[in-house]
Amino acid sequence: MNIVDIINKKRNNLELTKEELEYAFNGYMNKTVKDYQMSALLMAICINGLSDEEVFSLTDIFIRSGNTIDLSMIPGVKVDKHSTGGVGDKTTLVIAPIVASLGIKVPKMSGRGLGYTGGTIDKLESIPGLKVNLTKEEFLKELDSIGMVICSQTEALVPLDKEIYALRDVTATVESIPLIAVSIMSKKIASGADKILIDIKSGKGALIKNDTEAKILKDLMIRIGNKYNKEVRCIISNMDIPLGICVGNALEVAEAAEVLSGRIKNNLYDLCIDIASNMVSMAKEISIIDAREQVIEAIESKKAYNKFMEFIVYQKGNIEEMEISNNKLEIKSDKKGILTDIDAYKIGEVSCKLGSGRLSKDDVIDPAVGVFLNKQVGDSVELGDILCTLYYNKVKDDFDIIKAFSIQ
Ligand code: URA
């Protein structure tokens, strides 16, 4: 076997055997296959796709590249969730406490963000003291004690994904449905939960740009789940406009707390209710309608909010000390009309440039900066109304954010 023949075969749109996939991907891990060879193979996959058999084999190769987590000693049903990422997506911070407050275990390993969409771990790190790196023992103990945990994904879990993702990121091969499915499902299966909810974002501010592609990804991830005897549900949610009203790390934590306390009911609230209801319905084997009632009650009764605070304290965070910058730049409307669109991509880009995200792995995040949306899609706007507020520290620039707002 040799790597050039394998690349050639995929370039000619032929199906690779498991042995060939092992040769290429395990070879990449142990450095016998070079960056440029893997890049060529990834591009061939991106263009010609993978059959289901290839996807199953590759998922297995990814999982076996590292350790897996056994949660069987923790009593109860364990439900995990994953979102394909989007601007202002702080759903994990809202959903995990809701579901855990209803007696379901939520073991959540999350990542950091790269590019315009922030990662859950970056958001949590805006809470002073909060520990995101946990040992396996700490992870299991917390899950057993308080029913939820959100921590950084360990290096040992699917290390092949980390290597391949970094290469995909710089070779224009991220947007491949089979590669996305393998990447997400290998991590979810290795994390050990019994049931998995995937929130597939579709739209301008997301990796998947339309619902047709989102549906193909959904069906593929469900088939991978079936292969491993895991119940997988996927919901497809819109990412044309930002999720919620805050973009930026501390701002997003503050918004999550507001949603949990029932004080904000916006598109973030609606999506969180949807995702949490599906998780509860799967875990308790009840209808979505019954699950939804329980989810809303968890918010109204403050059970979910209290669980969020319990989680923060357990991981040694002090939310009272979380800082949002005092430097504000208000962006005012130069038009009168109805706000018909807010470009999620542009908002994410500006927030990132203010310092809330990283464009390269080594960039340092400023947790206190970001964008607050004063107006929502559908609102009427008068001349001079504040459309959004930029929270800044080192970088004071509006980056033409007004272009993100369509007013008609
Ligand atoms: N999220 C992942 O974890 N992997 C992908 O490939 C895309 C989104």
Side-chain angles (χ1 to χ4, degrees):
M1 217 179 281
N2 80 70
I3 186 66
V4 178
D5 288 345
I6 294 172
I7 299 168
N8 206 15
K9 198 169 165 188
K10 188 40 66 186
R11 194 203 60 202
N12 292 335
N13 203 9
L14 297 170
E15 189 174 54
L16 298 176
T17 63
K18 182 157 191 194
E19 291 68 34
E20 287 166 331
L21 287 163
E22 274 169 344
Y23 183 92
F25 284 84
N26 292 342
Y28 186 65
M29 266 310 263
N30 61 38
K31 309 225 180 312
T32 52
V33 169
K34 307 293 175 210
D35 272 352
Y36 49 84
Q37 293 168 321
M38 182 49 75
S39 303
L41 181 59
L42 290 172
M43 186 56 80
I45 291 175
C46 213
I47 292 167
N48 289 327
L50 292 175
S51 68
D52 272 15
E53 243 359 273
E54 288 174 310
V55 165
F56 300 151
S57 298
L58 198 53
T59 306
D60 199 51
I61 293 165
F62 269 52
I63 294 170
R64 285 167 189 271
S65 72
N67 298 340
T68 54
I69 299 176
D70 180 6
L71 298 175
S72 60
M73 72 291 275
I74 309 275
V77 182
K78 278 78 64 179
V79 188
D80 197 355
K81 68 97 35 184
H82 186 87
S83 160
T84 57
V87 176
D89 185 356
K90 67 286 280 176
T91 49
T92 293
L93 302 181
V94 180
I95 289 154
I98 296 176
V99 176
S101 77
L102 293 169
I104 298 156
K105 301 276 173 16
V106 186
K108 179 79 183 99
M109 290 199 173
S110 291
R112 292 179 191 282
L114 185 63
Y116 301 148
T117 61
T120 302
I121 292 304
D122 299 318
K123 298 175 214 267
L124 282 177
E125 279 185 337
S126 57
I127 305 173
L130 195 133
K131 205 171 147 192
V132 292
N133 294 313
L134 303 181
T135 63
K136 191 169 157 192
E137 291 67 36
E138 287 170 330
F139 177 85
L140 295 173
K141 186 161 176 252
E142 184 174 349
L143 185 62
D144 201 23
S145 315
I146 67 164
M148 68 170 278
V149 51
I150 310 174
C151 68
S152 198
Q153 189 178 300
T154 68
E155 298 281 317
L157 199 90
V158 198
L160 181 54
D161 180 62
K162 199 161 175 250
E163 299 293 320
I164 295 292
Y165 197 90
L167 193 59
R168 286 169 61 205
D169 211 24
V170 292
T171 54
T173 52
V174 169
E175 286 162 48
S176 150
I177 288 175
L179 291 177
I180 294 172
V182 167
S183 164
I184 292 174
M185 291 307 293
S186 60
K187 287 178 288 197
K188 292 293 108 183
I189 289 159
S191 304
D194 307 304
K195 305 189 181 211
I196 301 159
L197 187 290
I198 314 273
D199 169 28
I200 303 174
K201 303 273 182 226
S202 156
K204 284 192 292 225
L207 210 53
I208 307 287
K209 302 291 180 218
N210 60 63
D211 286 1
T212 311
E213 282 181 15
K215 174 88 175 53
I216 296 171
L217 178 62
K218 169 182 168 168
D219 293 342
L220 183 54
M221 292 201 285
I222 290 172
R223 292 201 295 280
I224 299 174
N226 288 342
K227 204 72 191 161
Y228 287 86
N229 273 330
K230 307 269 184 195
E231 187 183 350
V232 177
R233 280 197 205 170
C234 300
I235 63 169
I236 298 173
S237 63
N238 179 274
M239 191 30 80
D240 285 329
I241 63 169
L243 200 49
I245 51 175
C246 293
V247 179
N249 299 290
L251 281 164
E252 292 192 38
V253 172
E255 185 181 5
E258 287 293 291
V259 170
L260 278 166
S261 67
R263 283 194 289 266
I264 294 185
K265 297 200 168 135
N266 54 10
N267 64 346
L268 171 67
Y269 172 89
D270 292 341
L271 178 61
C272 289
I273 298 286
D274 220 12
I275 297 177
S277 302
N278 270 286
M279 291 170 77
V280 172
S281 154
M282 271 199 287
K284 297 194 174 183
E285 297 182 2
I286 57 176
S287 71
I288 292 275
I289 294 170
D290 291 346
R292 200 181 154 82
E293 249 175 49
Q294 294 189 18
V295 164
I296 290 173
E297 199 276 328
I299 294 181
E300 300 298 326
S301 65
K302 303 275 183 287
K303 251 185 342 208
Y305 179 82
N306 293 339
K307 182 58 74 181
F308 183 55
M309 292 303 156
E310 186 185 5
F311 149 74
I312 289 173
V313 170
Y314 197 100
Q315 284 185 214
K316 310 237 179 314
N318 185 348
I319 199 158
E320 304 294 325
E321 284 182 14
M322 187 175 77
E323 279 182 22
I324 294 168
S325 177
N326 287 322
N327 303 317
K328 295 184 210 171
L329 194 59
E330 290 175 343
I331 307 298
K332 296 188 175 157
S333 180
D334 53 5
K335 271 194 208 157
K336 174 178 162 50
I338 302 291
L339 182 58
T340 54
D341 189 26
I342 304 176
D343 183 338
Y345 186 84
K346 177 78 185 163
I347 301 287
E349 181 186 41
V350 172
S351 180
C352 189
K353 286 179 176 168
L354 290 170
S356 76
R358 47 176 93 73
L359 289 175
S360 88
K361 270 194 294 194
D362 305 322
D363 288 350
V364 177
I365 279 183
D366 183 344
V369 302
V371 180
F372 176 84
L373 300 172
N374 298 75
K375 291 281 181 188
Q376 312 300 304
V377 169
D379 285 355
S380 65
V381 177
E382 295 297 324
L383 202 70
D385 274 359
I386 303 168
L387 295 172
C388 68
T389 308
L390 308 189
Y391 288 80
Y392 67 93
N393 266 328
K394 287 194 201 113
V395 184
K396 185 181 179 188
D397 193 324
D398 67 12
F399 297 105
D400 245 348
I401 197 167
I402 199 154
K403 289 201 175 129
F405 297 87
S406 304
I407 297 165
Q408 269 154 21

